[in-house]
Amino acid sequence: MKTGWFKNVLESAQIRINVPDNSEHADEQVYWLADFWAIAEAAVHESTESGQNGYHVYFATTLVLIYEQTNSKEDISKCCSKIHGFIKSTYPDMAPTFGNLLSTKQDIYTDTENLLNRRISKLITPRHNAFWSSFYNSSQIFIDLYLFRLYCFTEVDSVISEYLRNQKDELSFIILCMIAAAANANKKLELQEVKLFNLFLGHTFLSEERKKAANQFLENGSNLNQIDLSEFDSWAVRKFLLELAMATTWSDGVLDKDEENFIVELARKLKLTDKDVDSSFVRVESFLLVHNKNEFKVIEGYLSSRVKQILIAHKQEIIRSFKSDSKLRTSLKQASIQSLNKTAKAQLSQAVMNQLQSLPVFRGIRFQDMNWTYEKLLKILPKDVVRSVMH
């Protein structure tokens, strides 16, 4: 990894990450920046130098974007100092020892870059774990972004630093307990669920006492009523915990009725809406469909059914969206009166997916990566949508 990469991130006006406009919640940006879709793209290539470079840049860029939300980026040294202070305060074990400070004098950019390198090194996991480790990495980045946002809003002192460290430990512990509860949702532990739990457990900064408590939570089949979420009223935290639980229930390649009921109960406890649950299920299952080919047919069956129900509920919105695209309307009319060749079908399915992608309920879903054919999309769309769009 070449030195100087972090200063390039700070100085670049071109590095941007897509964050939807018109956010409904104050900390929604954190949720979108800790996107397991984007993080997985780096994780699956993490054994290559370019993959690690991309991962470093993504993490640093998200921190900069959080800083920009509350501060001007005109003075990049202030942004750099903020990130430097945050990592040192929240992860004191990563800061250089006093002896190292005496032996090497470094500028603030190099020092911060080294801290970021140390933080990223904690997230790099073996390539054979790349798929599920992307969920782990996503949760770790989420914790960092969530806490960094709080850090940017406060005047930093020793009390705040201690508070952030406590919040880091508490959130890490709750994440472990959430995975444990989801793994026990159907009253039996599957090997893949235990592996996922151990992946998280082995890379946290928790004390041995808390790791032991989390292990007992997993082994004893503990339930949601034993998880105290009162300290976190953040929408981003609650939504993230829901998706982590969903991923856990799917980790063995099966989603049974007990697990679905568990998700419903969890959403109620987290005070999330049906819309939140629907969008999270589609986000997690679409990710699994693209990145986990072992259970493709099972996952696609659930996902197709779920998307179809959402489309029925948002039928009028879809019709308005389709009608606003004159080219799409023309293509749908042509498809209704003549057979389309392979290229035309592919173009039409792409146009349909682009319009679905624009609906708020599907924000952050990557339909394009699922390679759904036109025939597949016709089965999912409500029957009268195409007819209504053409008239």
Side-chain angles (χ1 to χ4, degrees), residues 59 63 83-96 115-116 118-120 122-123 136-137 139-148 151 161-162 164-169 171-172 203-206:
F59 180 55
L63 292 172
I83 294 173
H84 181 274
F86 168 72
I87 298 177
K88 280 187 68 176
S89 296
T90 314
Y91 300 98
D93 291 346
M94 290 187 187
L115 285 174
L116 287 167
R118 292 189 191 103
R119 180 68 186 115
I120 292 295
K122 301 293 183 181
L123 305 182
Y136 156 74
N137 293 337
S139 75
Q140 297 303 297
I141 285 183
F142 174 81
I143 291 174
D144 285 355
L145 298 186
Y146 171 73
L147 295 177
F148 184 59
Y151 187 82
S161 296
E162 184 178 358
L164 290 176
R165 287 194 293 272
N166 289 336
Q167 286 281 288
K168 169 184 61 93
D169 291 345
L171 195 46
S172 294
H203 290 81
T204 64
F205 288 81
L206 291 175

Side-chain angles (χ1 to χ4, degrees), residues 292-315:
N292 186 7
K293 301 300 183 183
N294 293 336
E295 290 84 26
F296 182 88
K297 288 186 178 180
V298 175
I299 297 169
E300 187 182 41
Y302 274 89
L303 178 61
S304 299
S305 176
R306 218 178 293 282
V307 170
K308 188 169 186 175
Q309 292 305 311
I310 293 174
L311 293 178
I312 291 172
H314 293 81
K315 185 171 66 175

Side-chain angles (χ1 to χ4, degrees), residues 19-34 66 69 142 149 234-236 239 276 360 363:
V19 179
D21 297 326
N22 305 320
S23 298
E24 298 178 31
H25 310 278
D27 58 355
E28 192 169 335
Q29 185 190 42
V30 173
Y31 167 79
W32 291 111
L33 290 177
I66 291 291
Q69 190 182 40
F142 174 81
R149 181 176 180 272
S234 156
W235 177 86
K239 190 82 153 64
D276 289 328
R363 178 183 290 177

Side-chain angles (χ1 to χ4, degrees), residues 39-84:
I39 291 166
E41 289 178 0
V44 295
H45 300 296
E46 62 192 10
S47 65
T48 67
E49 184 183 355
S50 61
Q52 290 186 25
N53 288 350
Y55 200 81
H56 283 69
V57 170
Y58 183 88
F59 180 55
T61 303
T62 56
L63 292 172
V64 172
L65 291 177
I66 291 291
Y67 177 85
E68 285 183 328
Q69 190 182 40
T70 52
N71 300 271
S72 169
K73 194 195 164 192
E74 292 178 5
D75 186 350
I76 62 171
S77 65
K78 288 183 178 179
C79 178
C80 181
S81 296
K82 200 73 173 180
I83 294 173
H84 181 274

